[in-house]
Amino acid sequence: METQSIRFYYRGRVHEVTDQPTTRTVLQYLREDLGRTGTKEGCAEGDCGACTVLVAEPDGHGGVAIRAVNSCIQFLPTLDGKALLTVEDLRQPDGSLHPVQQAMVDCHGSQCGFCTPGFVMSMWGMYLEHEPGARAPSRTEINDALSGNLCRCTGYQPIIRAAGEMLSYPHVPFDRAALTKILGTLSRDNIFTYEVAGHVFHAPRTVAQLAELRMQYPQARLLAGSTDVGLWVTKQFRDLPHLIYIGQVEALREIEQQADGYLNIGAGASLNDAYDALVTHYPEFAELRQRFASFPIRNAGTLGGNVANGSPIGDSMPALIALGTRIVLRRGERVREMPLEDFYLAYQKSALEAGEFVQGMRVPLALADQQFRTYKISKRFDQDISAVCAAFAVSLDPEGVVRRARFSFGGVAATPCRAPAAEQTVLGQAWDEQHVRLAMQALTADFKPLTDMRASDAYRMKAAQNVLYRFYLETAPGTPLTTRQVSTAVLADIA
Ligand SMILES: Cc1cc2nc3c(=O)[nH]c(=O)nc-3n(C[C@H](O)[C@H](O)[C@H](O)COP(=O)(O)OP(=O)(O)OC[C@H]3O[C@@H](n4cnc5c(N)ncnc54)[C@H](O)[C@@H]3O)c2cc1C
Ligand code: FES
Ligand code: FES
């Protein structure tokens, strides 16, 4: 396959790039090559939001999807066929400020100004979601949209106020139709191939093309949302000579409720889209969704990437395993599936064979009598890595006896795992304090947590036991406590 140029739309024209390394980040290119320094660099690892930009791409339904992402961890060739919007695009033709900027000025939302371009880009992303005259976003929506932006001097209150008021200014329209047309001219029918200095970037369009490329180049690294892989380059300086990018395979982004009682989530569905679908069926996912990374990371990152990466502290797996999710793997023409817990063999070792990739996940839809909860234990509420992440699902028969129990944990072993000894302790028994206390003890036979900078082994074990107890308090037959009541009861106990 011959090399092609990266083509993307930015600041009124199509840019064609032929000479940049395959892992050059969008941020590096903006600042160092185009001299567009409005977009800032803080952490270069997706944490601070100073580098936030908007990326527009076809939404698969004849329109465009515009999403805020962290440009510091996105590789330039992933922009092929897309449009890039940066803080420079906010400037109005008559030189006046865009409402998101004017609201920041009027609400005193900026001091040193370093974080401001990132904040206004996240706010612009939210602004574009609202039609003229729409109701102002709620405090929860604003907090979520700004969860990936850090400010060290202004304080968040004025910024949140600005986000709440930006829609009250005279509306500035955005020409989605024109952008759709432009993106149409950039679309490709076939695999995109970009090669520089012996480094290759492939972007297939279809699942069949992906399957073929993966078989042909089993040693190549798959790239999805780049929220793990991007850091291998910006923080670990790893060399990635061959990338196969799955972000252009539209079919992998599909999320579908199947007649067989499963929710099928394509491996390329963004974390935000996947969690939105999961929350529809399991409202208990809502807090985990909100606390998983930040809004822009969830825009770029995929559920497939989280599951495939298989980090012992990945947040999606405990919940998916507790629900009985099956993972769908494809190698060439062969498609096979297995329970997600069987996919993880050892630390950073999965059941993926050479030439195979994750095609999707199949999540069983809510069982009428199932109680399900997830718990993420971390030092901060937003944008933090779990010390322990747990999920529990139990089904009781009419007498209150446990018919089905699936307890699943992250952060306590080398892989995401179930807790068979604890599950066996409650199976066939009354769902009561005595058996739950025994199950808490049994967890010590299920895993031996490690000590690291996030938490000690003892803390992790205690936390794992306590969230199981919490689950019981929230689901005890006849007298379940609400989340708030559990907190009050625990605090009273400590006092
Ligand atoms: C600031 C920040 C905060 C984060 N917070 C959290 C958090 O709260 N909880 C959490 O769990 N994670 C968190 N992460 C990690 C990361 O966002 C997730 O693991 C994410 O789901 C990875 O998905 P991705 O699409 O970006 O994967 P990528 O980075 O593109 O790929 C990750 C790995 O999966 C492989 N891969 C990707 N797709 C496939 C596929 N279809 N088949 C086979 N292999 C594949 C890649 O080859 C690579 O090895 C955070 C990351 C950052 C930068
Ligand atoms: S520079 Fe901090 S998120 Fe990109
Ligand atoms: S205004 Fe200084 S960091 Fe936000």
Side-chain angles (χ1 to χ4, degrees):
M1 282 175 260
E2 262 188 30
T3 183
Q4 296 159 300
S5 53
I6 306 165
R7 294 182 312 189
F8 65 96
Y9 184 77
Y10 177 54
R11 304 282 298 135
R13 70 178 178 87
V14 173
H15 291 246
E16 297 221 12
V17 180
T18 53
D19 57 355
Q20 293 292 328
T22 50
T23 53
R24 183 129 180 98
T25 67
V26 171
L27 181 63
Q28 289 163 339
Y29 186 70
L30 270 173
R31 292 180 58 84
E32 292 166 17
D33 297 285
L34 295 184
R36 296 286 177 191
T37 51
T39 309
K40 307 297 180 209
E41 175 165 5
C43 64
E45 62 179 61
D47 260 319
C48 74
C51 66
T52 308
V53 297
L54 299 183
V55 171
E57 61 187 309
D59 64 3
H61 307 286
V64 284
I66 305 176
R67 298 178 191 241
V69 299
N70 306 93
S71 62
C72 64
I73 50 173
Q74 290 302 317
F75 300 146
L76 193 60
T78 64
L79 279 188
D80 185 65
K82 302 179 187 175
L84 176 65
L85 298 161
T86 63
V87 68
E88 286 85 357
D89 289 286
L90 283 171
R91 189 190 172 85
Q92 298 305 295
D94 63 358
S96 63
L97 296 182
H98 187 281
V100 301
Q101 297 170 304
Q102 193 61 54
M104 281 289 259
V105 172
D106 294 346
C107 295
H108 309 286
S110 179
Q111 283 185 23
C112 80
F114 190 81
C115 69
T116 312
F119 270 102
V120 296
M121 291 309 287
S122 291
M123 286 163 64
W124 193 19
M126 199 174 13
Y127 187 89
L128 293 175
E129 292 293 306
H130 289 75
E131 297 296 319
R135 68 161 177 80
S138 69
R139 173 70 185 251
T140 309
E141 286 165 339
I142 294 171
N143 287 355
D144 196 35
L146 301 182
S147 58
N149 294 94
L150 298 181
C151 173
R152 279 294 166 264
C153 40
T154 302
Y156 296 99
Q157 203 58 47
I159 301 172
I160 290 169
R161 206 174 320 124
E165 291 185 12
M166 65 187 179
L167 290 170
S168 63
Y169 291 74
H171 185 73
V172 170
F174 183 85
D175 197 344
R176 281 176 185 264
L179 196 56
T180 307
K181 244 191 188 154
I182 292 163
L183 292 181
T185 66
L186 297 179
S187 82
R188 299 181 192 271
D189 297 330
N190 220 322
I191 301 170
F192 168 58
T193 301
Y194 176 71
E195 188 170 351
V196 166
H199 283 55
V200 181
F201 181 98
H202 279 127
R205 279 15 240 176
T206 66
V207 180
Q209 288 171 354
L210 169 61
E212 208 179 309
L213 276 173
R214 185 81 173 128
M215 287 294 279
Q216 201 177 344
Y217 305 107
Q219 81 296 346
R221 170 61 58 186
L222 286 181
L223 178 71
S226 196
T227 62
D228 283 317
V229 174
L231 281 69
W232 300 354
V233 174
T234 62
K235 295 285 139 173
Q236 298 170 6
F237 310 109
R238 271 167 72 173
D239 185 35
L240 301 173
H242 193 162
L243 290 167
I244 300 178
Y245 175 54
I246 69 163
Q248 300 280 11
V249 184
E250 214 174 282
L252 277 191
R253 287 203 289 260
E254 280 171 11
I255 300 177
E256 258 178 4
Q257 186 174 334
Q258 300 291 107
D260 63 1
Y262 281 83
L263 180 70
N264 283 7
I265 302 179
S270 75
L271 286 158
N272 267 334
D273 290 348
Y275 271 93
D276 282 352
L278 287 166
V279 169
T280 309
H281 295 282
Y282 293 103
E284 300 89 347
F285 260 106
E287 186 183 312
L288 187 62
R289 173 196 179 280
Q290 190 188 350
R291 297 186 58 199
F292 190 117
S294 64
F295 191 71
I297 291 288
R298 295 196 308 270
N299 271 341
T302 62
L303 191 64
N306 200 222
V307 165
N309 196 29
S311 158
I313 43 158
D315 283 335
S316 306
M317 292 78 97
L320 294 175
I321 289 173
L323 289 175
T325 298
R326 299 180 68 77
I327 186 166
V328 183
L329 306 175
R330 174 153 174 175
R331 182 175 187 276
E333 296 284 304
R334 186 194 73 185
V335 177
R336 61 178 179 137
E337 59 175 69
M338 64 177 71
L340 181 55
E341 58 268 37
D342 295 350
F343 180 67
Y344 302 109
L345 305 180
Y347 181 62
Q348 294 199 330
K349 190 168 172 355
S350 75
L352 265 190
E353 293 172 5
E356 198 166 39
F357 63 93
V358 180
Q359 186 167 290
M361 268 68 59
R362 285 166 45 73
V363 187
L365 291 180
L367 300 171
D369 60 350
Q370 179 173 260
Q371 302 269 13
F372 166 68
R373 296 284 192 286
T374 70
Y375 304 94
K376 171 167 175 166
I377 313 291
S378 61
K379 291 199 175 99
R380 277 189 321 215
F381 186 85
D382 283 312
Q383 179 84 305
D384 201 1
I385 294 172
S386 300
V388 173
C389 193
F392 308 103
V394 292
S395 302
L396 308 182
D397 69 14
E399 280 72 48
V401 171
V402 179
R403 264 194 307 107
R404 187 173 170 274
R406 293 177 70 91
F407 302 162
S408 178
F409 291 87
V412 296
T415 64
C417 62
R418 281 178 74 177
E423 289 174 6
Q424 281 306 318
T425 306
V426 297
L427 268 177
Q429 307 294 339
W431 185 234
D432 59 15
E433 172 118 10
Q434 180 200 347
H435 290 100
V436 170
R437 294 254 177 220
L438 288 173
M440 289 160 66
Q441 271 311 310
L443 286 178
T444 55
D446 280 321
F447 38 72
K448 304 257 171 291
L450 288 176
T451 294
D452 64 15
M453 83 257 194
R454 247 166 243 121
S456 66
D457 53 354
Y459 173 87
R460 286 193 156 103
M461 179 54 76
K462 191 82 187 148
Q465 292 173 323
N466 284 355
V467 285
L468 176 54
Y469 186 54
R470 178 178 196 134
F471 173 61
Y472 164 69
L473 291 177
E474 289 179 16
T475 57
T479 53
L481 299 184
T482 62
T483 305
R484 185 177 286 271
Q485 285 170 323
V486 173
S487 310
T488 315
V490 170
L491 285 178
D493 203 27
I494 293 168

